Amino acid sequence: LQEARPLFEEGLQGSRETLGDRHPNTLGSINNMALLLMDMGELQEARLLFEEGLRGSRETLGDRHQTTLHLMNRMAELLMRMGELQEARLLFEEGLRGRR
């Protein structure tokens, strides 16, 4: 995972520079980087990226878009790992409502 990190960082930076922070591809890159960080145990860093990605997805794509719902779920998973169960539950529930 350590070897992958610079590649993910480079991809995210390139996407930000080329497409902008709110482009769907950039939001996907933010999600991928956050997942990598979560898998590496860098939970606080991952949280910052998930928060950024979720905020951007809500603003750009809306609360019921597949990408937004996916980011909600991933953010909730991270919150569970961090022991923030009430926050995780609220986000899981919001994601479920969005899928109905």
Side-chain angles (χ1 to χ4, degrees), residues 11-77:
L12 175 55
Q13 185 62 32
S15 191
R16 287 184 193 277
E17 290 171 2
T18 305
L19 304 170
D21 289 335
R22 297 293 189 248
H23 190 278
N25 290 353
T26 304
L27 296 172
S29 293
I30 289 170
N31 177 63
N32 292 339
M33 184 73 209
L35 286 172
L36 177 70
L37 291 169
M38 187 167 75
D39 288 344
M40 292 174 65
E42 302 288 342
L43 303 184
Q44 196 56 42
E45 252 187 288
R47 182 178 186 158
L48 294 173
L49 280 176
F50 276 131
E51 288 172 346
E52 177 190 357
L54 183 55
R55 189 172 44 254
S57 190
R58 285 181 192 271
E59 292 171 4
T60 305
L61 304 171
D63 288 334
R64 294 181 146 242
H65 191 276
Q66 188 75 356
T67 299
T68 305
L69 296 172
H70 179 74
L71 282 163
M72 277 182 207
N73 190 58
R74 293 302 194 172
M75 178 75 184
E77 289 175 28

Side-chain angles (χ1 to χ4, degrees), residues 5 7 9 28 35 54 57 62 78 86 91 97:
R5 185 175 181 162
L7 300 174
E9 289 172 337
L35 286 172
L54 183 55
S57 190
L78 174 70
Q86 184 60 30
L91 209 49
R97 284 191 304 274

